[in-house]
Amino acid sequence: MVDSSPVTKKFQKEMNAGIASLVLLSVLEKSSEPMYGYQIAKLLEEYSGDTAFMKQGALYPVLHSLENSGLLESRVEPSVSGPPRRYYEITPEGRATLVTWQGMWKQMKSFVDRAVKGG
Amino acid sequence: MIQSVEGYLEALKAELKNSDVATVQDALGDAEEHLRAALASLREERPGMPEEELLARVIEQYGSPEETASAYREVERRTTPQLAKENQLSGSALSRFFSVYADPRAWGALLYMLIAFATGVVYFTWAITGLSLSVSFVIFIFGFPFAILFLLSVRGLILIEGRLVEALLGVRMPRRPLFTEKNLKWIERLKQLVTDLRTWLSILYMIIQFVLGTVYFVLIVTVLSFSFASIAVPFVQEILNQAPIQMYGARYYVPTWSYPLFVFGGFLLWTMFMNIARWIGQQHGRMAKALLVTE
């Protein structure tokens, strides 16, 4: 986020609102084993490079809401150091939903690209 | 400046003080888990770095307590309707019956029913006067513009009514006036307004509102007087030394043991009416939507 004017911040936030669900679901779908929050945040940090698109703290409420919708499952396990960790795993329903979302994202992406370019 | 993970959690808790308990618990749990894990891994990466700086970096990535709180609130706000529904269904019938006092929809409906009396009178007068004048003015040259003005004013009033319904009864209503074509000849404009079903449904609503508003008002005043009178029985008899019931010159006193029954009965009556008012509000909202928001 180079520009941090209120309008831009708001835009970023609104854009993140939907995309975060897609990103988290995709990450968990690719992962062979359940992941905990910090692990996911670390992985996203690798993907995003130098620009941080969203605060890591904002990922957790999205994880909760995906779990509430039945797209993710979680369980808490004690960790060697520090507090217990909550591990998230994608559900069959989540996988099915992700396929739909990926299709939507593809269409959305080409639509936005064309609108931004203007032709 | 936040000195420790505990300090961060305190700040986050303070930011979320108006949120649901469950949300606060989630937020604190997530933050603690994340911050500790992130601190531990950063400490390994940079052994020489002072603890404060480590924490500052971790928080920079995680988001300030304020930012984190707003992220949780955002998600909470988007998912509340479902929660509200669950809450409504949980609890025993008795607790649901009495929890009506904490339900903003019941108070909103009650207020709406009171206001409906006034708005009903205005709408009815406006609709009847406007209609009769429009019809009789048709023989004059200024009849057409008058009719147009009247029909447009109906749309304006209905828009305001929609805002009232949405605010007090919680039914989503239009926030913009209906689209009207500009650059039309007056006669065509009038034809459009007259052939539009919504115009007539709106006028129908304005007339119905008068009847309903009167019924609502009478209901509220009657039930409220009965409830208050019943609750006031012990005070009237003990403190004011008056007979609670006076009929045809005769005074009737009630026995002392019945005081609690009167007070409780009055309270129960009003509670029951609050429940009924909430239901009436919902039905009225549905009617308003059906009549005023047709496609």
Side-chain angles (χ1 to χ4, degrees), chain B residues 117-172:
Chain B
F117 181 57
T119 52
V121 172
V122 173
Y123 294 164
F124 184 80
T125 320
W126 194 264
I128 296 299
T129 316
L131 265 186
S132 0
L133 287 183
S134 297
V135 171
S136 41
F137 281 170
V138 166
I139 54 165
F140 298 117
I141 194 82
F142 61 86
F144 291 105
F146 183 88
I148 291 175
L149 280 181
F150 164 66
L151 293 177
L152 287 177
S153 80
V154 167
R155 293 201 164 178
L157 280 176
I158 285 307
L159 181 70
I160 297 170
E161 171 67 16
R163 308 312 307 135
L164 259 179
V165 168
E166 182 169 337
L168 294 174
L169 303 179
V171 178
R172 179 78 170 79

Short mmCIF file of all heavy atoms in Angstrom, two decimals, chain B residues 117-172:
data_model
loop_
_atom_site.label_atom_id
_atom_site.label_comp_id
_atom_site.label_asym_id
_atom_site.label_seq_id
_atom_site.Cartn_x
_atom_site.Cartn_y
_atom_site.Cartn_z
N PHE B 117 -51.08 7.14 13.32
CA PHE B 117 -52.33 7.89 13.51
C PHE B 117 -52.23 9.26 12.84
O PHE B 117 -53.11 9.65 12.07
CB PHE B 117 -52.61 8.04 15.01
CG PHE B 117 -53.88 8.76 15.31
CD1 PHE B 117 -55.08 8.30 14.81
CD2 PHE B 117 -53.88 9.91 16.08
CE1 PHE B 117 -56.26 8.95 15.08
CE2 PHE B 117 -55.05 10.58 16.36
CZ PHE B 117 -56.25 10.10 15.86
N ALA B 118 -51.14 9.96 13.12
CA ALA B 118 -50.95 11.29 12.53
C ALA B 118 -50.74 11.21 11.02
O ALA B 118 -51.42 11.89 10.24
CB ALA B 118 -49.77 11.99 13.18
N THR B 119 -49.83 10.34 10.59
CA THR B 119 -49.55 10.26 9.15
C THR B 119 -50.80 9.78 8.42
O THR B 119 -51.08 10.25 7.32
CB THR B 119 -48.38 9.31 8.85
OG1 THR B 119 -48.62 8.05 9.48
CG2 THR B 119 -47.07 9.87 9.33
N GLY B 120 -51.56 8.86 9.04
CA GLY B 120 -52.77 8.36 8.41
C GLY B 120 -53.75 9.47 8.12
O GLY B 120 -54.33 9.53 7.04
N VAL B 121 -53.94 10.36 9.08
CA VAL B 121 -54.87 11.48 8.89
C VAL B 121 -54.39 12.37 7.74
O VAL B 121 -55.16 12.74 6.84
CB VAL B 121 -55.01 12.29 10.19
CG1 VAL B 121 -55.82 13.57 9.93
CG2 VAL B 121 -55.66 11.46 11.28
N VAL B 122 -53.09 12.67 7.75
CA VAL B 122 -52.53 13.53 6.70
C VAL B 122 -52.68 12.88 5.33
O VAL B 122 -53.16 13.50 4.37
CB VAL B 122 -51.04 13.85 6.99
CG1 VAL B 122 -50.42 14.61 5.83
CG2 VAL B 122 -50.92 14.65 8.28
N TYR B 123 -52.27 11.60 5.23
CA TYR B 123 -52.34 10.90 3.94
C TYR B 123 -53.77 10.87 3.42
O TYR B 123 -54.02 11.13 2.24
CB TYR B 123 -51.85 9.45 4.08
CG TYR B 123 -50.39 9.29 4.41
CD1 TYR B 123 -49.91 8.08 4.90
CD2 TYR B 123 -49.48 10.33 4.24
CE1 TYR B 123 -48.58 7.91 5.21
CE2 TYR B 123 -48.15 10.17 4.56
CZ TYR B 123 -47.70 8.96 5.05
OH TYR B 123 -46.40 8.79 5.36
N PHE B 124 -54.68 10.52 4.30
CA PHE B 124 -56.08 10.36 3.89
C PHE B 124 -56.62 11.68 3.37
O PHE B 124 -57.19 11.76 2.28
CB PHE B 124 -56.91 9.87 5.09
CG PHE B 124 -58.34 9.60 4.75
CD1 PHE B 124 -58.71 8.42 4.14
CD2 PHE B 124 -59.35 10.53 5.06
CE1 PHE B 124 -60.03 8.14 3.83
CE2 PHE B 124 -60.66 10.27 4.75
CZ PHE B 124 -61.02 9.08 4.13
N THR B 125 -56.42 12.76 4.14
CA THR B 125 -56.89 14.07 3.73
C THR B 125 -56.30 14.46 2.39
O THR B 125 -57.00 14.92 1.48
CB THR B 125 -56.50 15.12 4.78
OG1 THR B 125 -56.66 14.55 6.06
CG2 THR B 125 -57.33 16.37 4.67
N TRP B 126 -55.00 14.25 2.30
CA TRP B 126 -54.28 14.62 1.08
C TRP B 126 -54.80 13.84 -0.12
O TRP B 126 -55.10 14.43 -1.17
CB TRP B 126 -52.78 14.36 1.28
CG TRP B 126 -51.91 14.98 0.25
CD1 TRP B 126 -51.41 14.40 -0.87
CD2 TRP B 126 -51.45 16.34 0.22
NE1 TRP B 126 -50.66 15.27 -1.59
CE2 TRP B 126 -50.66 16.48 -0.94
CE3 TRP B 126 -51.61 17.44 1.06
CZ2 TRP B 126 -50.03 17.68 -1.27
CZ3 TRP B 126 -50.99 18.63 0.72
CH2 TRP B 126 -50.22 18.73 -0.43
N ALA B 127 -54.94 12.53 0.06
CA ALA B 127 -55.35 11.67 -1.05
C ALA B 127 -56.77 12.01 -1.51
O ALA B 127 -57.03 12.17 -2.71
CB ALA B 127 -55.27 10.19 -0.66
N ILE B 128 -57.69 12.14 -0.55
CA ILE B 128 -59.08 12.39 -0.90
C ILE B 128 -59.25 13.78 -1.52
O ILE B 128 -59.87 13.95 -2.57
CB ILE B 128 -60.00 12.24 0.34
CG1 ILE B 128 -59.95 10.79 0.85
CG2 ILE B 128 -61.43 12.64 0.00
CD1 ILE B 128 -60.42 9.75 -0.14
N THR B 129 -58.64 14.79 -0.88
CA THR B 129 -58.73 16.15 -1.42
C THR B 129 -58.12 16.20 -2.82
O THR B 129 -58.73 16.73 -3.76
CB THR B 129 -57.98 17.14 -0.51
OG1 THR B 129 -58.31 16.86 0.83
CG2 THR B 129 -58.33 18.57 -0.85
N GLY B 130 -56.94 15.66 -2.95
CA GLY B 130 -56.22 15.70 -4.23
C GLY B 130 -57.01 15.00 -5.32
O GLY B 130 -57.16 15.52 -6.43
N LEU B 131 -57.53 13.83 -4.98
CA LEU B 131 -58.27 13.05 -5.98
C LEU B 131 -59.51 13.81 -6.44
O LEU B 131 -59.74 13.98 -7.65
CB LEU B 131 -58.71 11.72 -5.38
CG LEU B 131 -57.83 10.49 -5.61
CD1 LEU B 131 -58.50 9.24 -5.07
CD2 LEU B 131 -57.52 10.32 -7.09
N SER B 132 -60.31 14.29 -5.46
CA SER B 132 -61.56 14.95 -5.86
C SER B 132 -61.28 16.22 -6.65
O SER B 132 -61.93 16.49 -7.66
CB SER B 132 -62.43 15.27 -4.64
OG SER B 132 -61.84 14.87 -3.46
N LEU B 133 -60.30 17.01 -6.18
CA LEU B 133 -59.99 18.24 -6.91
C LEU B 133 -59.47 17.93 -8.30
O LEU B 133 -59.85 18.57 -9.27
CB LEU B 133 -58.99 19.08 -6.13
CG LEU B 133 -59.54 19.76 -4.87
CD1 LEU B 133 -58.46 20.62 -4.22
CD2 LEU B 133 -60.75 20.64 -5.22
N SER B 134 -58.59 16.93 -8.41
CA SER B 134 -58.03 16.59 -9.72
C SER B 134 -59.14 16.22 -10.69
O SER B 134 -59.16 16.66 -11.83
CB SER B 134 -57.07 15.40 -9.59
OG SER B 134 -56.00 15.74 -8.79
N VAL B 135 -60.07 15.38 -10.21
CA VAL B 135 -61.14 14.93 -11.09
C VAL B 135 -62.01 16.11 -11.51
O VAL B 135 -62.31 16.30 -12.69
CB VAL B 135 -61.99 13.84 -10.41
CG1 VAL B 135 -63.24 13.54 -11.23
CG2 VAL B 135 -61.15 12.58 -10.23
N SER B 136 -62.38 16.97 -10.54
CA SER B 136 -63.29 18.06 -10.90
C SER B 136 -62.59 19.17 -11.69
O SER B 136 -63.24 19.88 -12.45
CB SER B 136 -63.97 18.62 -9.65
OG SER B 136 -63.05 18.72 -8.60
N PHE B 137 -61.29 19.33 -11.53
CA PHE B 137 -60.57 20.38 -12.27
C PHE B 137 -60.30 20.00 -13.72
O PHE B 137 -59.82 20.84 -14.48
CB PHE B 137 -59.23 20.69 -11.59
CG PHE B 137 -59.37 21.57 -10.38
CD1 PHE B 137 -58.28 21.79 -9.53
CD2 PHE B 137 -60.56 22.21 -10.09
CE1 PHE B 137 -58.40 22.61 -8.42
CE2 PHE B 137 -60.68 23.03 -8.98
CZ PHE B 137 -59.60 23.23 -8.14
N VAL B 138 -60.57 18.73 -14.08
CA VAL B 138 -60.24 18.29 -15.42
C VAL B 138 -60.93 19.17 -16.48
O VAL B 138 -60.40 19.39 -17.57
CB VAL B 138 -60.61 16.80 -15.61
CG1 VAL B 138 -60.61 16.40 -17.07
CG2 VAL B 138 -59.62 15.94 -14.84
N ILE B 139 -62.09 19.72 -16.16
CA ILE B 139 -62.80 20.55 -17.14
C ILE B 139 -62.10 21.90 -17.35
O ILE B 139 -62.38 22.60 -18.31
CB ILE B 139 -64.27 20.80 -16.73
CG1 ILE B 139 -64.32 21.39 -15.31
CG2 ILE B 139 -65.11 19.55 -16.80
CD1 ILE B 139 -65.66 22.01 -14.97
N PHE B 140 -61.19 22.27 -16.43
CA PHE B 140 -60.45 23.53 -16.59
C PHE B 140 -59.11 23.28 -17.27
O PHE B 140 -58.60 22.17 -17.27
CB PHE B 140 -60.19 24.19 -15.24
CG PHE B 140 -61.45 24.55 -14.51
CD1 PHE B 140 -61.75 23.96 -13.28
CD2 PHE B 140 -62.35 25.48 -15.04
CE1 PHE B 140 -62.89 24.29 -12.60
CE2 PHE B 140 -63.51 25.82 -14.35
CZ PHE B 140 -63.78 25.22 -13.13
N ILE B 141 -58.53 24.34 -17.76
CA ILE B 141 -57.24 24.24 -18.43
C ILE B 141 -56.14 23.87 -17.43
O ILE B 141 -55.21 23.16 -17.75
CB ILE B 141 -56.92 25.55 -19.20
CG1 ILE B 141 -55.76 25.33 -20.17
CG2 ILE B 141 -56.59 26.68 -18.27
CD1 ILE B 141 -56.19 24.70 -21.46
N PHE B 142 -56.28 24.37 -16.19
CA PHE B 142 -55.23 24.07 -15.21
C PHE B 142 -55.46 22.73 -14.51
O PHE B 142 -54.75 22.35 -13.59
CB PHE B 142 -55.11 25.19 -14.17
CG PHE B 142 -56.36 25.41 -13.36
CD1 PHE B 142 -56.61 24.67 -12.21
CD2 PHE B 142 -57.30 26.37 -13.76
CE1 PHE B 142 -57.77 24.88 -11.48
CE2 PHE B 142 -58.45 26.58 -13.02
CZ PHE B 142 -58.69 25.83 -11.88
N GLY B 143 -56.48 21.98 -14.97
CA GLY B 143 -56.77 20.68 -14.36
C GLY B 143 -55.63 19.68 -14.51
O GLY B 143 -55.31 18.96 -13.57
N PHE B 144 -55.04 19.67 -15.72
CA PHE B 144 -53.98 18.68 -15.96
C PHE B 144 -52.74 18.92 -15.11
O PHE B 144 -52.27 18.00 -14.44
CB PHE B 144 -53.66 18.63 -17.46
CG PHE B 144 -54.78 18.04 -18.26
CD1 PHE B 144 -55.61 18.84 -19.02
CD2 PHE B 144 -55.02 16.67 -18.19
CE1 PHE B 144 -56.66 18.28 -19.74
CE2 PHE B 144 -56.07 16.11 -18.90
CZ PHE B 144 -56.90 16.91 -19.67
N PRO B 145 -52.18 20.14 -15.14
CA PRO B 145 -51.02 20.34 -14.27
C PRO B 145 -51.33 20.07 -12.80
O PRO B 145 -50.49 19.53 -12.08
CB PRO B 145 -50.64 21.81 -14.49
CG PRO B 145 -51.70 22.39 -15.32
CD PRO B 145 -52.44 21.29 -15.99
N PHE B 146 -52.55 20.40 -12.39
CA PHE B 146 -52.91 20.16 -10.99
C PHE B 146 -52.86 18.66 -10.69
O PHE B 146 -52.29 18.23 -9.67
CB PHE B 146 -54.31 20.70 -10.69
CG PHE B 146 -54.70 20.55 -9.25
CD1 PHE B 146 -54.36 21.55 -8.32
CD2 PHE B 146 -55.36 19.42 -8.80
CE1 PHE B 146 -54.70 21.40 -6.99
CE2 PHE B 146 -55.69 19.27 -7.46
CZ PHE B 146 -55.36 20.26 -6.56
N ALA B 147 -53.44 17.86 -11.60
CA ALA B 147 -53.45 16.41 -11.39
C ALA B 147 -52.02 15.86 -11.35
O ALA B 147 -51.69 15.02 -10.53
CB ALA B 147 -54.24 15.74 -12.51
N ILE B 148 -51.19 16.38 -12.25
CA ILE B 148 -49.79 15.92 -12.26
C ILE B 148 -49.11 16.24 -10.94
O ILE B 148 -48.45 15.38 -10.33
CB ILE B 148 -49.01 16.57 -13.43
CG1 ILE B 148 -49.54 16.01 -14.75
CG2 ILE B 148 -47.52 16.29 -13.31
CD1 ILE B 148 -48.93 16.67 -15.96
N LEU B 149 -49.29 17.47 -10.48
CA LEU B 149 -48.67 17.87 -9.22
C LEU B 149 -49.14 16.98 -8.08
O LEU B 149 -48.35 16.53 -7.25
CB LEU B 149 -49.01 19.32 -8.90
CG LEU B 149 -48.17 20.36 -9.64
CD1 LEU B 149 -48.59 21.77 -9.21
CD2 LEU B 149 -46.69 20.15 -9.36
N PHE B 150 -50.44 16.70 -8.08
CA PHE B 150 -50.98 15.86 -7.01
C PHE B 150 -50.36 14.46 -7.05
O PHE B 150 -49.87 13.95 -6.04
CB PHE B 150 -52.50 15.76 -7.12
CG PHE B 150 -53.07 14.64 -6.31
CD1 PHE B 150 -52.99 14.66 -4.92
CD2 PHE B 150 -53.65 13.53 -6.93
CE1 PHE B 150 -53.49 13.61 -4.16
CE2 PHE B 150 -54.14 12.48 -6.17
CZ PHE B 150 -54.05 12.51 -4.78
N LEU B 151 -50.35 13.87 -8.26
CA LEU B 151 -49.84 12.50 -8.35
C LEU B 151 -48.34 12.43 -8.02
O LEU B 151 -47.88 11.47 -7.43
CB LEU B 151 -50.11 11.94 -9.75
CG LEU B 151 -51.60 11.72 -10.04
CD1 LEU B 151 -51.81 11.23 -11.46
CD2 LEU B 151 -52.21 10.73 -9.05
N LEU B 152 -47.60 13.48 -8.38
CA LEU B 152 -46.19 13.50 -8.02
C LEU B 152 -46.02 13.65 -6.51
O LEU B 152 -45.12 13.06 -5.92
CB LEU B 152 -45.46 14.64 -8.75
CG LEU B 152 -45.22 14.41 -10.24
CD1 LEU B 152 -44.57 15.64 -10.87
CD2 LEU B 152 -44.36 13.18 -10.47
N SER B 153 -46.91 14.44 -5.90
CA SER B 153 -46.81 14.62 -4.45
C SER B 153 -47.07 13.30 -3.73
O SER B 153 -46.49 13.03 -2.69
CB SER B 153 -47.79 15.68 -3.97
OG SER B 153 -49.10 15.14 -3.86
N VAL B 154 -47.94 12.46 -4.32
CA VAL B 154 -48.19 11.14 -3.73
C VAL B 154 -46.89 10.34 -3.69
O VAL B 154 -46.54 9.73 -2.69
CB VAL B 154 -49.27 10.39 -4.55
CG1 VAL B 154 -49.31 8.92 -4.17
CG2 VAL B 154 -50.63 11.02 -4.32
N ARG B 155 -46.15 10.39 -4.79
CA ARG B 155 -44.88 9.66 -4.83
C ARG B 155 -43.92 10.16 -3.76
O ARG B 155 -43.24 9.39 -3.11
CB ARG B 155 -44.22 9.85 -6.20
CG ARG B 155 -45.02 9.18 -7.27
CD ARG B 155 -44.17 8.91 -8.47
NE ARG B 155 -44.86 7.95 -9.31
CZ ARG B 155 -44.39 7.52 -10.46
NH1 ARG B 155 -43.25 7.98 -10.91
NH2 ARG B 155 -45.06 6.64 -11.15
N GLY B 156 -43.88 11.48 -3.60
CA GLY B 156 -43.00 12.06 -2.58
C GLY B 156 -43.38 11.59 -1.18
O GLY B 156 -42.53 11.16 -0.40
N LEU B 157 -44.67 11.65 -0.89
CA LEU B 157 -45.14 11.24 0.43
C LEU B 157 -44.84 9.77 0.69
O LEU B 157 -44.44 9.38 1.78
CB LEU B 157 -46.66 11.48 0.56
CG LEU B 157 -47.09 12.91 0.87
CD1 LEU B 157 -48.60 13.00 0.86
CD2 LEU B 157 -46.55 13.35 2.22
N ILE B 158 -45.03 8.96 -0.37
CA ILE B 158 -44.82 7.52 -0.22
C ILE B 158 -43.34 7.23 0.03
O ILE B 158 -42.99 6.32 0.77
CB ILE B 158 -45.36 6.79 -1.47
CG1 ILE B 158 -46.88 6.75 -1.41
CG2 ILE B 158 -44.80 5.40 -1.58
CD1 ILE B 158 -47.46 6.18 -0.12
N LEU B 159 -42.47 8.02 -0.58
CA LEU B 159 -41.04 7.84 -0.35
C LEU B 159 -40.72 8.08 1.13
O LEU B 159 -40.00 7.31 1.77
CB LEU B 159 -40.23 8.79 -1.22
CG LEU B 159 -38.72 8.68 -1.07
CD1 LEU B 159 -38.22 7.37 -1.66
CD2 LEU B 159 -38.00 9.85 -1.73
N ILE B 160 -41.31 9.14 1.68
CA ILE B 160 -41.08 9.46 3.09
C ILE B 160 -41.67 8.36 3.98
O ILE B 160 -41.04 7.91 4.94
CB ILE B 160 -41.71 10.82 3.44
CG1 ILE B 160 -41.02 11.92 2.62
CG2 ILE B 160 -41.59 11.12 4.92
CD1 ILE B 160 -41.70 13.26 2.70
N GLU B 161 -42.85 7.88 3.61
CA GLU B 161 -43.46 6.79 4.37
C GLU B 161 -42.53 5.56 4.35
O GLU B 161 -42.36 4.90 5.37
CB GLU B 161 -44.83 6.45 3.77
CG GLU B 161 -45.48 5.20 4.30
CD GLU B 161 -45.90 5.29 5.77
OE1 GLU B 161 -45.95 6.43 6.29
OE2 GLU B 161 -46.15 4.25 6.39
N GLY B 162 -41.93 5.32 3.20
CA GLY B 162 -41.00 4.20 3.08
C GLY B 162 -39.82 4.34 4.04
O GLY B 162 -39.40 3.38 4.68
N ARG B 163 -39.31 5.57 4.17
CA ARG B 163 -38.19 5.80 5.08
C ARG B 163 -38.62 5.51 6.52
O ARG B 163 -37.88 4.93 7.30
CB ARG B 163 -37.66 7.23 4.98
CG ARG B 163 -37.32 7.75 3.61
CD ARG B 163 -36.46 6.81 2.79
NE ARG B 163 -35.27 6.38 3.49
CZ ARG B 163 -34.82 5.15 3.53
NH1 ARG B 163 -35.48 4.20 2.90
NH2 ARG B 163 -33.74 4.85 4.18
N LEU B 164 -39.83 5.94 6.85
CA LEU B 164 -40.37 5.70 8.21
C LEU B 164 -40.48 4.20 8.46
O LEU B 164 -40.06 3.70 9.51
CB LEU B 164 -41.77 6.30 8.32
CG LEU B 164 -41.93 7.64 9.03
CD1 LEU B 164 -43.39 8.05 9.00
CD2 LEU B 164 -41.44 7.54 10.45
N VAL B 165 -41.07 3.50 7.50
CA VAL B 165 -41.27 2.05 7.64
C VAL B 165 -39.93 1.36 7.81
O VAL B 165 -39.75 0.50 8.67
CB VAL B 165 -42.03 1.49 6.42
CG1 VAL B 165 -41.98 -0.02 6.40
CG2 VAL B 165 -43.48 1.95 6.43
N GLU B 166 -38.94 1.77 7.02
CA GLU B 166 -37.64 1.11 7.12
C GLU B 166 -36.98 1.38 8.47
O GLU B 166 -36.43 0.49 9.11
CB GLU B 166 -36.71 1.53 5.99
CG GLU B 166 -35.39 0.79 6.07
CD GLU B 166 -34.52 0.95 4.84
OE1 GLU B 166 -35.07 1.25 3.76
OE2 GLU B 166 -33.31 0.77 4.96
N ALA B 167 -37.07 2.63 8.90
CA ALA B 167 -36.41 3.00 10.15
C ALA B 167 -37.06 2.33 11.36
O ALA B 167 -36.37 1.83 12.25
CB ALA B 167 -36.42 4.51 10.32
N LEU B 168 -38.38 2.31 11.39
CA LEU B 168 -39.06 1.84 12.60
C LEU B 168 -39.46 0.37 12.54
O LEU B 168 -39.51 -0.31 13.56
CB LEU B 168 -40.29 2.70 12.87
CG LEU B 168 -39.98 4.15 13.23
CD1 LEU B 168 -41.25 4.96 13.35
CD2 LEU B 168 -39.19 4.22 14.53
N LEU B 169 -39.75 -0.13 11.35
CA LEU B 169 -40.21 -1.51 11.26
C LEU B 169 -39.14 -2.43 10.70
O LEU B 169 -39.29 -3.66 10.69
CB LEU B 169 -41.47 -1.61 10.38
CG LEU B 169 -42.65 -0.75 10.83
CD1 LEU B 169 -43.82 -0.91 9.88
CD2 LEU B 169 -43.06 -1.13 12.24
N GLY B 170 -38.04 -1.86 10.23
CA GLY B 170 -36.92 -2.67 9.78
C GLY B 170 -37.18 -3.42 8.49
O GLY B 170 -36.55 -4.42 8.21
N VAL B 171 -38.10 -2.93 7.66
CA VAL B 171 -38.32 -3.55 6.36
C VAL B 171 -37.63 -2.68 5.32
O VAL B 171 -37.85 -1.48 5.27
CB VAL B 171 -39.82 -3.65 6.03
CG1 VAL B 171 -40.04 -4.24 4.65
CG2 VAL B 171 -40.53 -4.47 7.08
N ARG B 172 -36.79 -3.30 4.53
CA ARG B 172 -36.04 -2.55 3.53
C ARG B 172 -36.99 -1.93 2.52
O ARG B 172 -37.79 -2.62 1.90
CB ARG B 172 -35.07 -3.51 2.84
CG ARG B 172 -34.24 -2.92 1.77
CD ARG B 172 -33.09 -2.13 2.35
NE ARG B 172 -32.18 -1.76 1.26
CZ ARG B 172 -32.39 -0.77 0.43
NH1 ARG B 172 -33.47 -0.04 0.55
NH2 ARG B 172 -31.52 -0.49 -0.52
#
